[in-house]
């Protein structure tokens, strides 16, 4: 190749790299529509033609075929022969019957409710305000409290997202010295359903808002732990249960700005026993951004758009905990992979 040809190939690669990223919203929207239509359930383990898929999903065949070819281009499906499609391993996670299903997660985060809020990103960048409130005139959790179907989808999406981290926490953390775990903002109870079944000495409380905790009784029942675990509704800024000895807060601080996060920690400090342990489970951002873990940075921006919160670095978590009367005992990065685990105790260093 001549120097001019090499330069021109590099230029094409650079252009393609940017154009592919620009098309990111088309990728996510295509995945969201596939999840909404249940295409992965229709494909199952087989290879199926776009005509039968269109009939079963009640869609327009030529357009569905174009959607499936786009999904093939981004690795969700393959097209082994023209017009016939099968799932890849990545795409199989869109099946409802997969133990690792991310179908509800895809439906939620590609949902028009969330996509519309993202249209307000520029507003957030100019003002620092939540785009969600700017677009809908109310905050995300007030919206969910008034929209039962989206709230149910959100709780299911959180449960799907949480399952792996909950299993890793259950396998990697030493729960042996504790009697009662309180999962603050515990949603549908997925975390306790991973931790309690193999630990008969342990009791639990899933604590969340009335809409957040609505699906928890069914989860606890399915996990066979309903007799030693309760779902309690309340506001964690005001009435945190005082009867636990281990308090877990998973994927909650990211929802809140610094002031509210400190208020939540003060609420914990005031209510939890002095001998209790606090476990914060969530993403911990590196000090400098890189391409290593893009999801953390997407989540951070998603929080700016939807909840007004943010992801934080280890330094920021430590400062916040120390300011509100806790001592950090350990920070284990990636211990509930991909999430990290911060263990803190009330009071000055013991
Ligand atoms: C991002 S979700 C995380 C749910 C769960 N911990 C998980 O990791 O899947 C945040 C949770 O905080 C709950 N929440 C928000 N505001 C709350 C409040 N004031 N009191 C109690 N829970 C609240 C929400 O209902 C939601 O279930």
């Amino acid at each position: 190749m001549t120097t001019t040809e090499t330069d021109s190939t590099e230029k094409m690669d650079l252009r393609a790299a940017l154009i592919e990223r620009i098309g990111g919203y088309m990728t996510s929207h295509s995945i969201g529509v596939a999840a909404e239509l249940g295409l992965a359930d229709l494909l199952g383990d087989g290879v199926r033609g776009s005509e039968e898929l269109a009939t079963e999903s009640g869609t327009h065949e030529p357009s569905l075929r174009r959607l499936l070819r786009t999904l093939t281009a981004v690795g969700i499906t393959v097209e082994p022969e023209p017009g016939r499609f099968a799932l890849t391993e990545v795409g199989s996670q869109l099946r409802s019957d997969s133990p690792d299903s991310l179908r509800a997660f895809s439906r939620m985060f590609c949902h028009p409710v969330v996509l519309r809020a993202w249209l307000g990103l520029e507003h957030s960048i100019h003002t620092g305000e939540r785009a969600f409130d700017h677009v809908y005139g109310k905050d995300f959790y007030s919206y969910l409290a008034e929209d039962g179907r989206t709230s149910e989808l959100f709780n299911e999406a959180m449960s799907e997202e949480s399952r792996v981290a909950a299993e890793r926490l259950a396998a990697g953390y030493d729960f042996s010295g504790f009697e009662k775990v309180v999962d603050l903002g515990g949603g549908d109870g997925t975390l306790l359903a991973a931790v309690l079944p193999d630990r008969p000495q342990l009791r639990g409380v899933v604590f969340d808002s009335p809409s957040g905790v609505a699906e928890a009784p069914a989860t606890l029942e399915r996990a066979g732990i309903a007799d030693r675990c309760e779902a309690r509704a309340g506001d964690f800024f005001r009435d945190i249960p005082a009867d636990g000895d281990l308090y877990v807060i998973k994927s909650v601080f990211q929802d809140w700005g610094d002031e509210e996060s400190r208020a939540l920690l003060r609420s914990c400090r005031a209510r939890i026993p002095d001998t209790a342990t606090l476990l914060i489970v969530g993403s911990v951002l590196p000090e400098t951004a890189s391409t290593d873990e893009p999801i953390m940075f997407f989540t951070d921006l998603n929080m700016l758009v939807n909840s007004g919160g943010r992801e934080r670095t280890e330094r920021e978590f430590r400062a916040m905990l120390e300011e509100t009367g806790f001592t950090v005992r350990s920070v284990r990065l990636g211990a509930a992979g991909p999430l990290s685990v911060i263990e803190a105790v009330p009071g000055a260093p013991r």
Side-chain angles (χ1 to χ4, degrees):
M1 238 192 276
T2 65
T3 318
T4 319
E5 278 168 344
T6 311
D7 285 353
S8 134
T9 310
E10 269 171 20
K11 193 169 176 181
M12 291 309 284
D13 288 350
L14 287 174
R15 288 176 70 78
L18 182 58
I19 289 170
E20 202 179 311
R21 286 166 175 76
I22 292 169
Y25 73 93
M26 299 183 202
T27 304
S28 64
H29 201 41
S30 300
I31 294 171
V33 170
E36 203 58 54
L37 292 172
L39 293 181
D41 290 347
L42 296 178
L43 282 163
D45 291 324
V47 181
R48 303 197 66 197
S50 54
E51 271 160 27
E52 47 183 342
L53 292 169
T55 306
E56 287 171 33
S57 59
T59 52
H60 177 244
E61 189 277 328
S63 303
L64 180 69
R65 185 166 168 168
R66 287 162 72 179
L67 175 68
L68 285 160
R69 283 166 64 83
T70 302
L71 291 170
T72 299
V74 294
I76 302 295
T77 45
V78 288
E79 188 179 15
E81 47 188 294
R84 292 180 64 74
F85 299 89
L87 291 169
T88 60
E89 237 179 296
V90 173
S92 295
Q93 297 169 104
L94 292 172
R95 286 174 67 166
S96 317
D97 63 356
S98 161
D100 302 315
S101 183
L102 286 170
R103 181 178 176 205
F105 185 82
S106 311
R107 288 178 59 215
M108 181 68 214
F109 289 97
C110 305
H111 195 286
V113 170
V114 173
L115 295 181
R116 263 188 71 201
W118 266 84
L119 295 179
L121 175 64
E122 194 174 340
H123 174 80
S124 291
I125 302 298
H126 274 299
T127 62
E129 292 168 5
R130 295 186 281 243
F132 193 94
D133 302 31
H134 180 65
V135 172
Y136 291 97
K138 62 184 82 160
D139 68 77
F140 183 67
Y141 286 113
S142 302
Y143 183 99
L144 290 186
E146 291 166 19
D147 177 348
R149 279 181 63 188
T150 309
S151 175
E152 200 178 316
L153 180 60
F154 176 74
N155 291 341
E156 199 183 339
M158 286 297 96
S159 164
E160 286 182 354
E161 196 219 4
S162 277
R163 211 170 297 136
V164 172
E167 281 163 12
R168 300 241 166 113
L169 184 74
Y173 187 75
D174 182 6
F175 289 88
S176 60
F178 300 104
E179 289 177 5
K180 193 184 244 187
V181 192
V182 180
D183 186 8
L184 295 172
D188 85 336
T190 295
L191 190 139
L192 292 188
V195 171
L196 263 67
D198 294 337
R199 297 177 172 88
Q201 92 288 354
L202 210 52
R203 286 170 297 134
V205 177
V206 186
F207 184 86
D208 207 297
S209 64
S211 59
V213 86
E215 276 77 49
T219 309
L220 304 177
E221 197 66 52
R222 274 197 306 277
I225 52 171
D227 56 336
R228 52 195 171 94
C229 205
E230 63 175 295
R232 233 183 263 174
D235 176 356
F236 53 36
F237 288 107
R238 291 186 307 150
D239 40 35
I240 287 179
D243 53 342
D245 53 1
L246 177 65
Y247 289 78
V248 183
I249 310 189
K250 181 185 160 299
S251 304
V252 165
F253 285 103
Q254 70 201 31
D255 276 346
W256 304 98
D258 291 345
E259 212 172 295
E260 291 119 331
S261 295
R262 275 195 285 267
L264 175 51
L265 283 171
R266 286 201 185 94
S267 163
C268 291
R269 182 68 185 92
R271 296 280 295 163
I272 75 176
D274 284 347
T275 51
T277 298
L278 184 70
L279 273 195
I280 297 177
V281 183
S283 291
V284 174
L285 287 181
E287 291 292 339
T288 46
S290 72
T291 51
D292 288 350
E293 290 185 78
I295 292 171
M296 283 193 203
F297 297 96
F298 287 144
T299 313
D300 184 44
L301 211 51
N302 192 44
M303 294 303 138
L304 173 63
V305 166
N306 283 308
S307 69
R310 51 191 289 252
E311 299 287 12
R312 294 178 174 82
T313 63
E314 178 176 340
R315 207 156 41 91
E316 289 169 328
F317 270 118
R318 281 184 181 275
M320 217 165 62
L321 281 158
E322 279 156 23
E323 268 170 54
T324 52
F326 287 91
T327 296
V328 175
R329 264 208 200 138
S330 64
V331 176
R332 276 170 281 168
L333 297 177
L339 303 181
S340 301
V341 179
I342 301 175
E343 192 181 53
V345 289
R350 290 175 198 164

